Amino acid sequence: MKRSVFKSVARILRNLGLAVILLLAGPLMAAVTGQVNVSRSWSEASRASTGLAPDPAVVREPVVQVYGARAFGWRGAFAVHTWVSVKRENATEFSTYEVIGWRFWGGRSPLVRRDGAPDRRWFGSTPEVYVDLRGPKVEAVIDKIEQAIQNYPHANDYKTWPGPNSNTFTATIGRAVPELRLELPPTAVGKDYLGATTLAARSPSGTGIQLSALGLVGVMAGLEEGLEVSVLGLAFGVDPLDLAIKLPGIGRIGGIDKPQRRLQ
């Protein structure tokens, strides 16, 4: 009897160990391969523009872009930081909306707006563009985005993990504005946080559904996202339409870059 109990406990511990290794393999690889720099000081890290955004002096039409870049320091091994930028027709600059944790810890709302270049490095990390939407009808999309920002339920709350954080904010905007067709990467930890009492919602792209318990465990299926399973905020998935796989800490492997889209 004791031997049987010992074997059962040993099996459980072995399975837990394998699960931990599986969850941490991607973040460890991201750190080892140099995708994350944990040695630099935030005061020395670049916040320079990367040239990914159109010049408002040249592109007069309305534009919406959604960006993401590796989080600062050790958090970057696990997650990206995301933000939403808009430019109305004939506007001379972009307005960027994002959630920043240290504002909350300093006693202020973590939800902030800043005007200027939307494509700046996130303290040394080069951003990627997840959405680039242009055209005459984008003006109405910006109206919906700004309304969703006003209605954001966690404007005065922040938790690095499991949420609500910067990725919770961006995912919430995506759900409210399905025209974006926003597919966030598996490294957008916090995108699956739906709130303390909500268990089901649209996927961030608006093309599917997801179930999630406090952002700790969940499943999502959508035309844009494919199928994702998240454990402790770390997501695994496959996107059969784009022939891609998704891994925690690493991100999306395979598939094609989605082109700029226009709403005429």
Side-chain angles (χ1 to χ4, degrees):
M1 181 66 177
K2 290 183 178 180
R3 180 174 295 181
S4 176
V5 172
F6 177 78
K7 286 183 177 180
S8 297
V9 172
R11 186 181 304 111
I12 291 172
L13 292 176
R14 181 190 63 198
N15 291 338
L16 285 174
L18 290 174
V20 170
I21 291 173
L22 185 61
L23 288 172
L24 296 182
L28 286 173
M29 184 175 294
V32 169
T33 56
Q35 295 183 55
V36 181
N37 187 337
V38 297
S39 62
R40 66 175 175 241
S41 166
W42 67 267
S43 61
E44 299 173 346
S46 173
R47 290 286 280 142
S49 173
T50 57
L52 292 172
D55 183 351
V58 176
V59 178
R60 307 303 297 172
E61 65 183 349
V63 179
V64 172
Q65 291 186 313
V66 180
Y67 291 89
R70 288 278 178 176
F72 180 73
W74 64 266
R75 297 177 184 84
F78 294 87
V80 295
H81 168 78
T82 58
W83 60 94
V84 179
S85 298
V86 303
K87 184 192 77 68
R88 290 191 177 274
E89 184 174 9
N90 295 322
T92 58
E93 60 185 357
F94 278 83
S95 294
T96 294
Y97 300 89
E98 60 191 329
V99 162
I100 300 176
W102 57 76
R103 287 178 56 88
F104 175 76
W105 299 323
R108 295 177 290 173
S109 169
L111 178 55
V112 62
R113 166 182 168 166
R114 62 174 173 83
D115 295 329
D119 56 353
R120 296 192 297 172
R121 296 179 186 275
W122 181 250
F123 295 95
S125 296
T126 302
E128 295 181 73
V129 181
Y130 303 142
V131 171
D132 188 331
L133 193 61
R134 310 184 191 191
K137 292 186 177 180
V138 172
E139 198 76 18
V141 174
I142 295 175
D143 289 338
K144 294 182 68 173
I145 290 173
E146 293 185 342
Q147 185 62 54
I149 292 169
Q150 291 183 20
N151 295 335
Y152 180 57
H154 309 296
N156 295 302
D157 192 14
Y158 181 90
K159 290 184 180 66
T160 301
W161 177 87
N165 58 24
S166 66
N167 300 319
T168 308
F169 166 72
T170 305
T172 300
I173 302 306
R175 293 187 189 98
V177 189
E179 292 90 343
L180 296 176
R181 298 180 70 90
L182 171 62
E183 180 187 357
L184 289 171
T187 46
V189 175
K191 67 184 173 66
D192 300 317
Y193 182 84
L194 303 179
T197 60
T198 302
L199 296 176
R202 284 178 175 177
S203 65
S205 73
T207 65
I209 60 172
Q210 70 177 122
L211 305 175
S212 180
L214 297 175
L216 297 174
V217 60
V219 62
M220 175 165 54
L223 291 177
E224 291 290 335
E225 291 94 351
L227 177 66
E228 284 189 19
V229 176
S230 63
V231 180
L232 301 180
L234 303 177
F236 300 82
V238 294
D239 186 344
L241 294 182
D242 285 343
L243 299 177
I245 62 172
K246 304 176 181 183
L247 298 172
I250 295 176
R252 183 185 179 95
I253 300 175
I256 57 174
D257 292 333
K258 291 181 173 59
Q260 177 192 121
R261 291 192 298 117
R262 299 191 61 81
L263 290 181
Q264 298 292 346

